[in-house]
Amino acid sequence: MRQRLFEPFALACGLNLLVALSALLFMPVSAAALSQSWLKGFSELQGFAMQMVLMLLLGHVLAMSRGVQKPLHWLLSILSRMRHPAMGLVFVSAFLSWLHWGLGLVAGGLLAARLAQQEEPARLRYAAAAYAGFIVWHGGWSGSAPLVVATAGHPWEAVIGVIPVQQTLLSPLNLALLIGVTLSAMICVRFLPNTVPLAAEVPFEEVPHSSAAGWDYTLVLGLVLLSLSTLAFVMGWQGFDLNALIVLLFALALCLHGHYGRFQDAVVSGISATAGIVIQFPLYGAIMAMMRDSGLAVWLAEMLLAWTPPYLFLNGVFWAAGLLNLVVPSGGGQWAVQAPVIVPVAQKLGASLPQTVIAFSWGDAWTNLIQPFGALPLLAMTGVKASQLLPYTALLCAITGLAASAIFLGFSLI
C-alpha cells in the first residue's frame, strides 16, 4: 500500500486533491469555480504534452541509433573499469541531459540498467546516479524557460524583452551551477549504500534489430529536414525554441537510423516510456489551472519571496520554483504561472533578469529528484520502483539544493 501511494499516477491524483482542498481552505474561490478550472485545465496541456512526448520519444530514438549506441557502449566500458562507476554515471547523465533532457534520461537509464546487470546489488544506486544527472536539464539546451525568453514574441517580451541564451545558458552563474551541482551529486552518490531492490530485473535494451539493411528515403528526408532547420536558424526564420528543437531532433533521428525499418523499431521500443506523460499531463494541467485561477500559486510564491531578504532573492526564486515544481512538473507551464510574480519583484529589486530566469530554471529542475514524474522512463528501464528510489534521491535533493543555494548566494553578494 505504501509503495502504491508513491507511484506517479497515484501521486498525481493525490496532488489534485491536495491542491483542491488547499485552494478551498485558503483562497476566496468557490467549489463551482474550482471545478470549472479543473475541467478547463484537464485539456489545457494537451498541446504541450504532445511536445513533451515527442521530446522524450525522439531522445529515446536517438539513444537507440547505432550512431549513439556505439559511444554509449564505449562509455559503458569506461564506467565498468572505474573504481566508482556511479560517480562517472552522474557525470555522463548530466552531460547528456545538458544536451537534451530526453537523451539524458534514456541514455542514463540504459547505462544504469547495463551496469546493474554487472553488479546487481548496486541497481538502486545506479538508478539514483542516472537520475541525479537529470537535475541539470533546465540549465541546458532543452531548458524551457531560457528558450522561451530567447524567442521573439514570448508573453513577457514587452516587459523584459528578448533575453538571448548567451545571458542565461552561457552565463557564469549557469556554468558555475553546472559544475557545482554535478560535483555535489557525484560526491553524494559515492557514499550511497548498495541495496538490492525488490523489483524484477529488467534487461538492458540493445539496438532494435530489423531486417532492414542499408539506407532508404529516410536518410534523404532526414538530411532535407536538417538542412531546412539549419537554414531557418541562419536566416532568422525560426528562433531556438521547443518546436525548432523537436524538428532538429526528428531530423537527426532520421539521419542516424537511415532506414525506415530501423527508425520504426526504435519508435515502437520507446513509445511505452511516454505513457506517463500521456496519462498524467491532463491531471497536472488540472493542478496548474486550479493553482493559477484560484491564486494559490501566486500566494505561495509571494509568501516565500516576502520572507526572503533582497540579498537572498535568487535563492528565494530557486526555492519557490522548487516548491511549485512538486505540483506543477512542467517547466514551461510553471514559468507561465510563476513569471507574473517573480518578474515584477526582480524589477523592483533591480535584480538581474537573466539570473532570475536561471534561478527559476534550476529550482524547477532541482525538486524533480523528489517528484517521480520525470523518472518514469528511467524507472521502466532499470526495474526500480519510485518508492524505492525516493529515499536515495531525497538525499541527493538535499545535498544538491545546498550546493545550488550556496552558489546563488555567492553570486548575489558579488
Side-chain angles (χ1 to χ4, degrees):
M1 180 64 181
R2 176 178 172 271
Q3 290 185 355
R4 291 181 181 178
L5 291 176
F6 285 99
E7 293 303 318
F9 183 76
L11 184 59
C13 294
L15 287 174
N16 267 267
L17 291 173
L18 178 62
V19 170
L21 289 174
S22 299
L24 290 173
L25 288 174
F26 300 111
M27 306 306 299
V29 60
S30 66
L34 198 64
S35 299
Q36 291 178 356
S37 295
W38 193 95
L39 291 172
K40 180 176 64 176
F42 190 82
S43 59
E44 205 167 76
L45 288 183
Q46 288 181 2
F48 187 69
M50 187 60 184
Q51 289 178 314
M52 294 299 101
V53 165
L54 287 172
M55 288 275 283
L56 176 57
L57 180 60
L58 292 173
H60 178 97
V61 173
L62 276 174
M64 300 308 296
S65 68
R66 288 185 173 92
V68 174
Q69 282 278 321
K70 288 182 179 179
L72 284 183
H73 282 284
W74 175 72
L75 287 171
L76 179 64
S77 66
I78 294 177
L79 292 174
S80 300
R81 294 194 297 268
M82 292 179 62
R83 184 176 181 183
H84 302 294
M87 295 181 69
L89 182 56
V90 173
F91 178 81
V92 172
S93 176
F95 176 73
L96 294 175
S97 297
W98 175 73
L99 291 176
H100 176 263
W101 64 267
L103 181 62
L105 269 181
V106 174
L110 292 175
L111 288 171
R114 186 59 179 269
L115 286 169
Q117 283 189 331
Q118 300 175 3
E119 189 184 354
E120 178 60 31
R123 179 177 294 274
L124 187 53
R125 183 203 282 186
Y126 289 137
Y131 197 43
F134 180 61
I135 193 175
V136 310
W137 81 269
H138 213 147
W141 293 105
S142 57
S144 303
L147 290 180
V148 167
V149 298
T151 303
H154 69 85
W156 283 87
E157 183 178 5
V159 180
I160 64 176
V162 175
I163 303 176
V165 293
Q166 289 84 350
Q167 297 180 26
T168 53
L169 298 180
L170 298 178
S171 66
L173 173 60
N174 195 54
L175 297 177
L177 287 162
L178 286 169
I179 296 171
V181 170
T182 302
L183 284 176
S184 66
M186 291 173 66
I187 294 171
C188 184
V189 163
R190 161 67 179 84
F191 296 101
L192 289 178
N194 287 344
T195 304
V196 181
L198 299 176
E201 180 178 342
V202 175
F204 178 73
E205 193 171 359
E206 299 287 352
V207 181
H209 294 287
S210 173
S211 59
W215 312 95
D216 69 353
Y217 60 88
T218 302
L219 175 61
V220 177
L221 177 59
L223 292 173
V224 170
L225 287 178
L226 189 60
S227 300
L228 287 175
S229 299
T230 304
L231 182 63
F233 295 144
V234 172
M235 299 299 294
W237 301 338
Q238 174 71 57
F240 193 72
D241 54 17
L242 283 176
N243 292 325
L245 182 59
I246 289 170
V247 173
L248 182 61
L249 291 172
F250 190 58
L252 288 173
L254 292 173
C255 289
L256 289 175
H257 284 279
H259 193 283
Y260 171 77
R262 292 192 293 266
F263 177 80
Q264 182 68 14
D265 285 345
V267 170
V268 171
S269 72
I271 197 68
S272 61
T274 67
I277 294 177
V278 173
I279 201 64
Q280 292 179 48
F281 250 57
L283 294 176
Y284 283 116
I287 291 174
M288 188 176 69
M290 287 191 295
M291 293 192 68
R292 180 194 62 222
D293 296 347
S294 68
L296 186 62
V298 174
W299 178 66
L300 289 172
E302 284 179 338
M303 279 203 310
L304 186 55
L305 291 174
W307 299 339
T308 305
Y311 66 88
L312 288 179
F313 172 71
L314 292 179
N315 291 80
V317 173
F318 173 72
W319 297 330
L323 177 64
L324 288 182
N325 180 58
L326 296 176
V327 291
V328 189
S330 159
Q334 188 177 331
W335 174 249
V337 171
Q338 212 166 343
V341 178
I342 61 176
V343 168
V345 175
Q347 291 176 319
K348 183 178 180 180
L349 296 176
S352 167
L353 288 174
Q355 288 188 348
T356 301
V357 172
I358 290 299
F360 163 83
S361 300
W362 280 86
D364 170 70
W366 167 46
T367 49
N368 279 330
L369 290 171
I370 52 176
Q371 162 52 275
F373 180 74
L376 292 174
L378 182 137
L379 295 175
M381 293 176 210
T382 59
V384 172
K385 294 185 179 295
S387 57
Q388 297 166 331
L389 187 66
L390 279 175
Y392 277 35
T393 54
L395 177 60
L396 284 162
C397 185
I399 298 299
T400 54
L402 287 173
S405 296
I407 293 172
F408 283 122
L409 179 59
F411 273 80
S412 297
L413 296 177
I414 293 176

